[in-house]
Amino acid sequence: WKPGDVNLVFQAPDPAAVQPPGGWTLEDIESVEGQHRSEWTGEDTAVLYLLYLPGAWHGSTPEHQILGLAYGPSQMVIFPDSVAAVCTPGKANIEDPEARDLLCPLTEAAVWIHELGHLVGLVDAGVPMVNDHEDPEHPYHCHDVGCIMHWSHESGDLATYIEKRLQRQPHPPPPL
């Protein structure tokens, strides 16, 4: 039972949105959201706001790409260019063509799930843990690499993890 509606608002990249010099900052992302967001969580409605932005997070480096962020109580952003940058090279390592075509979509889906996990409070971010599994060196992230909430799964390491799974089992396994 739910008291009201649950709305998922998908904000595609604004055709005029261009990555700021040096990459997207939180201030830049909130500015785009402020220009486009029209629905908010209310008394009987929950709204999840998902924003896709071209380019990359300002803190990304070639060695450590940030693929997405949960940046508020109901907001998350995905950087599809960063997802493509980390998963495309791994395609060459997957023999099965169907599995190869799954690498980038599975990587993006896993980023969605990871960031949504932050929004719903997984790993000591609002929901009490039944079993302690938080990585003390990476707060609000799991210590188990196989867990969707592992800290490396918001970076390019996620694509490598999924690539290795697809090499072992070419038919689509769950991302994590």
Side-chain angles (χ1 to χ4, degrees):
W1 178 82
K2 61 183 177 90
D5 294 327
V6 176
N7 295 334
L8 175 62
V9 178
F10 173 81
Q11 178 69 53
D14 179 342
V18 177
Q19 174 182 295
W24 292 97
T25 65
L26 184 56
E27 184 178 282
D28 297 324
I29 293 167
E30 289 173 336
S31 175
V32 171
E33 177 186 356
Q35 294 169 29
H36 297 281
R37 186 170 182 175
S38 60
E39 295 185 53
W40 294 89
T41 296
E43 280 187 32
D44 63 353
T45 303
V47 177
L48 171 65
Y49 187 79
L50 172 62
L51 182 63
Y52 269 61
L53 289 175
W57 174 248
H58 77 97
S60 289
T61 66
E63 299 79 30
H64 188 75
Q65 289 279 338
I66 300 298
L67 308 179
L69 299 168
Y71 65 94
S74 64
Q75 303 103 297
M76 59 191 227
V77 61
I78 305 290
F79 301 105
D81 295 341
S82 295
V83 172
V86 300
C87 67
T88 301
K91 288 180 172 186
N93 301 323
I94 302 172
E95 289 182 28
D96 182 274
E98 288 180 37
R100 186 180 317 123
D101 289 344
L102 289 171
L103 179 56
C104 290
L106 285 175
T107 301
E108 184 174 310
V111 174
W112 266 71
I113 295 166
H114 177 94
E115 299 310 332
L116 183 60
H118 285 301
L119 294 183
V120 299
L122 298 182
V123 194
D124 205 28
V127 177
M129 291 185 288
V130 175
N131 298 310
D132 186 11
H133 58 279
E134 184 175 19
D135 185 336
E137 294 180 28
H138 301 94
Y140 308 117
H141 290 93
C142 185
H143 59 72
D144 178 1
V145 73
C147 174
I148 189 65
M149 295 309 295
H150 190 263
W151 62 270
S152 68
H153 296 332
E154 63 188 15
S155 72
D157 293 343
L158 175 61
T160 302
Y161 180 84
I162 294 172
E163 172 194 328
K164 289 181 188 234
R165 297 233 9 214
L166 287 169
Q167 287 171 343
R168 289 191 309 268
Q169 181 184 8
H171 300 288
L176 300 168

